[in-house]
Amino acid sequence: MDAFRTVALVAATLTTGLIAGLYYGFACAVMPGLRGTDDRTFVGTMQGINVRILNGWFALGFGGSLVLTVLAGALHLVGDAPDGPLPWIGAAAALYVLTLVSTFAVNIPLNDELDAVGDAGSAAASALAAVRLRFETRWVRWNAFRAVAATGALGCLVWCLVLYGRATA
């Protein structure tokens, strides 16, 4: 049982770290880098990112994080010490759920608005300016929220590894 607990907890930590890093990278580099571009470049780049991010590697981290965190929690339900990692696993899952809620409630609908403009290379300049105005500030703000929540989830899981390591040493 200890081996399954360890693998699940490590895998949850790794996948959560990957997603936290993705959101952090967007917050610190991608969006600030795009801030200075013209509307056509901004919209076209974000449209391209939104298409290319939908792949199996992203899905593994994005969905796997919650699945693996819940699995780690389930494996710790039986026989976990009173001061063990279970409450922290729960906190990590709750924080990660917040990233999912904000993604599905805010970021994806905003991405869909960008897509609705059509090909950025041939769209009217006024349409590009309007969609960017509705998109950029709100998307950046909610991505920062996701970065903080995912990093909090990662911190909780790292602490779980510490507690679990102490308990099994």
Side-chain angles (χ1 to χ4, degrees):
M1 184 63 123
D2 282 343
F4 291 119
R5 286 179 175 175
T6 301
V7 169
L9 193 51
V10 168
T13 304
L14 289 173
T15 53
T16 301
L18 289 170
I19 295 302
L22 175 73
Y23 296 150
Y24 179 77
F26 265 87
C28 292
V30 175
M31 299 313 286
L34 286 174
R35 185 180 307 130
T37 64
D38 63 88
D39 296 336
R40 191 168 310 282
T41 301
F42 180 90
V43 172
T45 300
M46 286 303 297
Q47 285 176 332
I49 290 169
N50 291 336
V51 168
R52 286 167 189 83
I53 201 166
L54 299 176
N55 63 68
W57 292 110
F58 172 73
L60 178 67
F62 186 72
S65 178
L66 182 61
V67 169
L68 291 163
T69 301
V70 169
L71 175 62
L75 292 171
H76 279 86
L77 281 174
V78 177
D80 193 38
D83 58 347
L86 189 58
W88 292 98
I89 294 171
L95 285 165
Y96 194 77
V97 165
L98 290 175
T99 72
L100 295 176
V101 169
S102 63
T103 297
F104 286 104
V106 179
N107 295 89
I108 290 174
L110 288 170
N111 291 345
D112 291 343
E113 283 186 38
L114 285 184
D115 189 47
V117 130
D119 178 33
S122 60
S126 60
L128 294 171
V131 75
R132 181 178 184 174
L133 183 64
R134 288 189 307 274
F135 176 92
E136 189 171 12
T137 300
R138 189 164 185 228
W139 196 97
V140 166
R141 183 180 316 120
W142 282 97
N143 182 68
F145 172 83
R146 296 187 304 180
V148 169
T151 302
L154 175 61
C156 289
L157 290 170
V158 167
W159 185 242
C160 288
L161 288 170
V162 170
L163 294 175
Y164 185 63
R166 287 179 184 167
T168 58

